């Protein structure tokens, strides 16, 4: 892209046709004066060394040099700095399942790692498209708002883990519903929702959500990850596998039937990811069927000064003008000393300007080349050198923030963006700086900071629809986060109450156990009778019983005898 930093100086180009008219008038006047001396053919014979075209060539060279000097004052620049580009592409939102079941290793290295590789390959395939990223398990949230910055998409992809979402499960419906509200408001552009999951939908409602997305003009594609035979779910850091309530190992299997139903309801296609390259080809074939439209995207980079090349051209024109004499047989030895001094002066002036131009912008240009080549650490060094040359250059500070961001140094990147915002005087450029700060904060779920950054961006550029959309989306996510926090607090209070009741019950049980233990101890403390003593006591009791029976019989017999004697 080409532009002029100070285009107001271009109005001076009006002098060019004015000077040309003056030159034309002077030539006509000169011819009239020559005709007063006699016939023109005779006059030409009297001046054989005079050329009719050399003065015109010298004048054209000077006029061209003057026009180029005016262009130099306008500061021609090549490159891009906040420019809206029109790209022909589609909008795609990727919903990635990060539930615990995605840790299963039935596909190498794991379902989640294979899904990340799939998304990375998909991002590399995109050129003129926009992409957004949603992660979900028992809940869903936006990891990256829809954008054309594919570098940020890869950066956020590397930090995705199941621990990001406390509510476990697989709620495909929540992910599809959130994806339908994550697209831009542009009409006529193809919109695709790509769900990467193992199909274990625990919440339900996925078919209805996919059908609703289809009615809104979107297509839902499902990429199935895993094996239908099932696989245990490893517990990170323990070497063991996840178990259910009864202690049995949990087996997670790909639910292909569920995935096919969701894809069919969403008007898309189901693809089983066994080999990334084959699945990539199938998905690309399906996405190519979608309607494509010009998508506007914004690029912020450096404008390169081009006045050095123009000055060199001016220098060459001046040298040519000096070397061309008005006579037909010019000789360099007849050049006046003044002409030679003028040439050397102009040459030294141009060399001085070229040396002066090699400052912070040279480091920025070199840093940009390193950044585009993926050498972010080397680019950071160049940008810091540019800041040493000119610490008040907002381009160097902003690009340094981009280099730090590419190296996952988010906090340091935000500091540089904030410094660039203080140095930048253009409101539109400043709005995009705050927009990028908001995107970083939103990706880290720092919704409060993101909202403030988006608001500051809109203060500088109220017509930025993309920032306004991200602001509303961020507010919605903040409300959802607050609701989830309230639910967690309520659940925690409930758990605390249950734990307290359980503790009280345990205390009562402990008291009862202590009492039983004391009674048992008391019984153990009583004197114990030996076996021999017990046998002696038993024998004595039996003998006593026997004696008692004999006495009773004897008494009965005596009584009967007395009765018989009396009767007798």
């Amino acid at each position: 892209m080409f532009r002029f930093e100070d285009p107001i100086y271009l109005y001076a180009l009006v002098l060019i046709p004015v000077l040309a008219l003056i030159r034309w008038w002077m030539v006509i006047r000169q011819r009239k004066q020559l005709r007063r001396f006699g016939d023109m053919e005779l006059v030409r014979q009297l001046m054989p060394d005079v050329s009719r075209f050399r003065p015109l060539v010298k004048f054209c060279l000077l006029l061209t040099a003057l026009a180029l000097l005016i262009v130099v004052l306008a500061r021609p620049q090549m490159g891009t700095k906040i420019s809206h580009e029109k790209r022909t592409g589609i909008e795609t939102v990727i919903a990635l399942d990060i539930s615990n079941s995605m840790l299963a290793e039935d596909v190498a290295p794991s379902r989640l790692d294979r899904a990340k590789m799939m998304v990375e390959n998909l991002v590399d395939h995109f050129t003129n498209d926009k992409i957004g990223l949603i992660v979900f398990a028992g809940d869903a949230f936006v990891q990256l708002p829809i954008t054309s910055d594919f570098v940020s998409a890869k950066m956020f992809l590397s930090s995705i883990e199941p621990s990001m979402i406390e509510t476990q499960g697989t709620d495909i419906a929540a992910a599809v519903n959130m994806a339908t509200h994550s697209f831009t408001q542009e009409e006529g552009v193809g919109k695709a929702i790509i769900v990467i999951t193992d199909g274990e939908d625990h919440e339900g409602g996925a078919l209805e959500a996919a059908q609703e997305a289809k009615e809104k003009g979107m297509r839902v594609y499902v990429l199935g990850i895993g094996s239908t035979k099932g696989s245990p779910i490893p517990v990170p850091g323990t070497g063991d596998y996840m178990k259910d309530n009864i202690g049995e190992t949990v087996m997670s299997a790909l639910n292909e039937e569920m995935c096919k139903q969701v894809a069919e309801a969403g008007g898309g296609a189901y693809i089983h990811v066994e080999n990334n390259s084959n699945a990539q080809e199938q998905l690309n074939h399906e996405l190519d069927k979608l309607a494509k439209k010009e998508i506007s995207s914004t690029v912020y980079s450096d404008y390169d000064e081009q006045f050095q090349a123009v000055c060199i051209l001016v220098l060459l024109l001046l040298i040519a003008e000096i070397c061309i004499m008005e006579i037909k047989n010019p000789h360099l030895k007849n050049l006046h000393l003044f002409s030679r001094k003028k040439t050397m002066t102009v040459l030294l002036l141009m060399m001085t300007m070229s040396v002066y131009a090699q400052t912070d912008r040279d480091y920025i240009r070199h840093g940009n080349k390193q950044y585009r080549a993926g050498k972010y650490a080397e680019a950071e060094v160049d940008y810091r050198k540019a800041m040493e040359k000119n610490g008040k250059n907002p381009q160097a500070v902003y690009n340094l923030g981009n280099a730090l961001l590419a190296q996952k140094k988010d906090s340091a990147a935000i500091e540089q963006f904030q410094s660039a915002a203080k140095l930048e005087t253009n409101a539109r450029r400043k709005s995009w700086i705050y927009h990028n700060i908001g995107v970083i904060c939103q990706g880290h779920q720092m919704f409060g900071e993101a909202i403030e950054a988006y608001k500051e961006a809109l203060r500088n550029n109220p017509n930025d629809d993309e920032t306004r959309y991200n602001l509303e989306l961020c507010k919605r996510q903040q409300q959802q986060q607050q609701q989830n926090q309230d639910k967690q607090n309520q659940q925690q209070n409930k758990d605390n109450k249950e734990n307290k009741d359980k503790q009280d019950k345990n205390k009562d049980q402990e008291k009862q156990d202590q009492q039983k233990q004391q009674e048992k101890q008391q019984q153990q403390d009583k004197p114990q009778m030996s076996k021999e003593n017990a046998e002696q006591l038993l024998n004595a009791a039996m003998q006593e019983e026997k004696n008692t029976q004999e006495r009773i019989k004897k008494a009965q017999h005596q009584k009967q005898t007395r009765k018989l004697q009396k009767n007798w």
Side-chain angles (χ1 to χ4, degrees), residues 390-433:
N390 184 7
K392 295 183 179 181
N393 189 336
Q395 300 172 13
V397 181
Y398 180 83
N399 289 353
L400 175 59
N402 286 332
L404 294 172
L405 184 62
Q407 300 177 68
K408 301 180 183 179
K409 302 176 182 179
D410 295 345
S411 58
I414 290 180
E415 292 180 1
Q416 296 300 326
F417 288 148
Q418 291 174 346
S419 300
K422 295 178 181 178
L423 296 174
E424 187 61 70
T425 56
N426 187 291
R428 189 179 180 188
R429 300 169 189 170
K430 185 180 292 186
S431 69
W432 277 101
I433 295 175

Side-chain angles (χ1 to χ4, degrees), residues 87 90 92 126 129-133 144-153 156 182 184 297-298 432 435-436 439 466 470:
R87 300 178 174 183
I90 63 174
T92 305
F126 288 157
D129 310 293
K130 284 189 176 182
I131 185 174
L133 183 59
L144 177 68
I146 192 164
T147 180
S148 57
D149 187 1
F150 303 138
V151 176
S152 298
F156 285 113
S182 299
T184 63
S297 60
T298 303
W432 277 101
H435 176 91
N436 291 346
V439 170
E466 186 174 355
N470 286 355

Side-chain angles (χ1 to χ4, degrees), residues 64-341:
T64 304
L66 177 61
L68 292 178
L69 286 175
I70 295 174
V71 171
V72 169
L73 292 176
R75 295 182 60 188
Q77 296 178 344
M78 184 73 70
T80 52
K81 188 179 275 182
I82 300 195
S83 62
H84 291 281
E85 297 181 354
K86 295 293 184 179
R87 300 178 174 183
T88 302
I90 63 174
E91 294 182 1
T92 305
V93 175
I94 300 175
L96 179 59
D97 185 358
I98 61 171
S99 58
N100 288 329
S101 61
M102 293 292 288
L103 296 175
E105 299 175 348
D106 48 359
V107 292
S110 68
R111 295 179 184 177
L112 183 58
D113 291 334
R114 177 65 68 88
K116 289 182 180 180
M117 294 167 59
M118 186 69 187
V119 174
E120 187 172 355
N121 293 337
L122 184 64
V123 172
D124 290 336
H125 176 76
F126 288 157
T127 54
N128 299 327
D129 310 293
K130 284 189 176 182
I131 185 174
L133 183 59
I134 293 176
V135 293
F136 71 95
D139 197 2
F141 69 88
V142 176
Q143 177 74 357
L144 177 68
I146 192 164
T147 180
S148 57
D149 187 1
F150 303 138
V151 176
S152 298
K154 289 186 178 181
M155 181 190 66
F156 285 113
L157 184 66
S158 61
S159 61
I160 293 177
E161 295 293 339
S163 58
M164 296 175 61
I165 299 181
E166 297 181 0
T167 307
Q168 282 300 315
T170 307
D171 194 351
I172 298 178
V176 174
N177 288 330
M178 181 167 289
T180 57
H181 295 89
S182 299
F183 292 99
T184 63
Q185 303 300 322
E186 294 189 26
E187 297 181 357
V189 61
K191 299 178 180 180
I193 300 174
I194 301 176
V195 181
I196 305 178
T197 180
D198 52 17
E200 291 189 346
D201 187 13
H202 298 172
E203 305 297 332
L207 298 180
E208 293 78 3
Q211 188 173 3
E212 183 180 355
K214 178 182 177 182
E215 295 174 354
K216 293 182 179 179
M218 306 165 192
R219 292 293 179 266
V220 180
Y221 301 90
V222 182
L223 303 183
I225 303 286
S227 172
T228 56
K229 298 179 181 179
S231 174
I233 304 173
V235 180
T238 63
D240 197 4
Y241 294 99
M242 190 174 296
K243 302 182 183 299
D244 57 14
N245 296 331
I246 60 177
E248 295 184 358
T249 302
V250 178
M251 299 295 292
S252 173
L254 171 63
N255 189 351
E256 277 195 320
E257 186 64 27
M258 176 67 182
C259 294
K260 291 179 181 178
Q261 292 176 1
V262 173
E264 183 178 359
Y270 167 71
I271 301 174
H272 184 200
V273 181
E274 294 179 341
N275 182 282
N276 276 12
S277 59
N278 294 337
Q280 184 70 51
E281 292 179 1
Q282 297 180 34
L283 183 59
N284 293 339
H285 178 70
E286 294 293 336
L287 295 179
D288 289 339
K289 298 178 182 178
L290 298 179
K292 295 186 177 181
K293 182 185 177 182
E294 284 190 347
I295 300 175
S296 61
S297 60
T298 303
V299 179
Y300 186 92
S301 61
D302 182 35
Y303 276 105
D304 297 335
E305 295 284 355
Q306 302 296 325
F307 72 91
Q308 300 96 326
V310 181
C311 289
I312 293 175
L313 184 57
V314 172
L315 176 61
L316 294 176
L317 292 175
L318 291 178
I319 293 175
E321 191 274 337
I322 293 172
C323 294
I324 296 175
M325 303 296 293
E326 293 186 358
I327 59 177
K328 291 183 179 181
N329 297 317
H331 298 284
L332 295 176
K333 63 181 181 179
N334 294 328
L335 289 176
H336 298 289
L337 181 62
F338 175 75
S339 298
R340 292 196 295 268
K341 289 184 176 180

Side-chain angles (χ1 to χ4, degrees), residues 433-446:
I433 295 175
Y434 281 110
H435 176 91
N436 291 346
I437 295 175
V439 170
I440 296 176
C441 295
Q442 187 174 1
H444 288 277
Q445 300 185 35
M446 302 166 58

Side-chain angles (χ1 to χ4, degrees), residues 492-502:
Q492 186 176 4
N493 294 334
K494 184 178 179 180
D495 294 341
N496 292 337
K497 185 177 180 181
E498 292 178 355
N499 292 334
K500 184 177 181 181
D501 296 340
K502 188 176 181 179

